[in-house]
Amino acid sequence: RSEYDAAQAALRSSQSALTAAQAQLANAREQLGYTALVAEAPGVITARQAEVGQVVQATVPIFSLARDGERDAVFNVYESLLVEPPPDAPITVSLLDNPSIKAVGKVREVTPAVAANTGTVQVKIALQSLPKGMELGSVVSATANGPAKASIELPWAALTKDLNEPAVWLIDADGKAQLHKVSVARYLTGKVIIGDGLKGGEKVVVAGGQLLHPGMLVEIAQQGAQP
């Protein structure tokens, strides 16, 4: 009886050891499965976030996959330069290295938030039918026709401010300086583009504006006059 009880105890101990070994095997197989990356859908790898031999933790992205199917042309555009076209306005997208290969699309999405690191918004253009040669990951450029808007270009020195708003000094019919608020459409190197506030034909002070005050009489120098 004692030998039988000892055999039963040894059996139960072996069964417990087998269960523990099977659990360890399942855990090892699960860990081994993490070394094989399986895409959930067909597509093209667009980015790699890890290097060969690098030790990474679970849930860390290794590759970025662009699914095969409907294609978008994605652009990062400065918000100040973005002129949103009408929803039905077609946009021509062409390959940068071969402009003869073109596709037509429409704006599908404009991100509402501005990226903190680049100061741009992301614009996605849904492409209708892709020509041969325009594959996933291709570098493209886009051309769109929007409504024209009149603007006035002034040198940097002409721009001042009225409290916290941009403004310029205008010379009225009596030859007096008046501070006039404007809306700046774009800042460029050495000049600014005024989108609203000026109609054209006004006399704007482009130098020495820091010396003026409202109602100050200004004498306009004649072109070609000797200093």
Side-chain angles (χ1 to χ4, degrees):
R1 180 67 185 184
S2 62
E3 292 180 359
Y4 175 76
D5 291 340
Q8 288 288 341
L11 175 62
R12 288 192 292 270
S13 177
S14 298
Q15 288 175 338
S16 298
L18 175 61
T19 302
Q22 289 175 339
Q24 292 177 357
L25 176 61
N27 184 59
R29 285 176 175 171
E30 183 180 3
Q31 295 294 328
L32 180 63
Y34 292 152
T35 63
L37 303 180
V38 180
E40 60 182 6
V44 174
I45 298 296
T46 58
R48 183 180 69 180
Q49 287 86 10
E51 300 298 332
V52 177
Q54 179 179 345
V55 179
V56 297
Q57 301 297 323
T59 72
V60 174
I62 305 299
F63 293 103
S64 296
L65 174 71
R67 294 190 178 190
D68 198 4
E70 295 182 356
R71 307 289 174 83
D72 286 342
V74 183
F75 300 91
N76 293 326
V77 182
Y78 288 106
E79 186 181 22
S80 60
L81 303 181
L82 181 63
V83 178
E84 185 175 352
D88 57 347
I91 296 178
T92 302
V93 177
S94 58
L95 287 179
L96 199 62
D97 57 351
N98 189 358
S100 61
I101 300 179
K102 300 179 180 180
V104 178
K106 295 182 179 179
V107 175
R108 182 177 67 83
E109 178 185 351
V110 178
T111 56
V114 179
N117 56 340
T118 61
T120 59
V121 294
Q122 191 176 82
V123 179
K124 296 182 180 180
I125 300 175
L127 302 178
Q128 297 173 358
S129 59
L130 292 181
K132 185 176 180 181
M134 188 174 288
E135 307 294 340
L136 279 172
S138 300
V139 182
V140 296
S141 62
T143 303
N145 294 324
K149 184 178 180 181
S151 59
I152 295 177
E153 179 182 304
L154 294 175
W156 264 102
L159 190 64
T160 182
K161 65 179 181 179
D162 183 3
L163 296 180
N164 296 324
E165 298 183 11
V168 296
W169 287 103
L170 295 184
I171 306 302
D172 59 19
D174 298 329
K176 295 181 179 180
Q178 303 294 342
L179 197 57
H180 184 73
K181 295 180 181 179
V182 295
S183 175
V184 178
R186 193 182 309 174
Y187 292 91
L188 303 176
T189 303
K191 54 190 176 182
V192 293
I193 305 299
I194 306 299
D196 193 15
L198 297 177
K199 300 179 180 179
E202 297 97 336
K203 296 178 180 179
V204 181
V205 177
V206 298
Q210 69 277 10
L211 304 175
L212 299 178
H213 58 79
M216 184 177 180
L217 187 62
V218 176
E219 181 181 355
I220 300 177
Q222 299 299 322
Q223 184 176 4
Q226 294 296 327

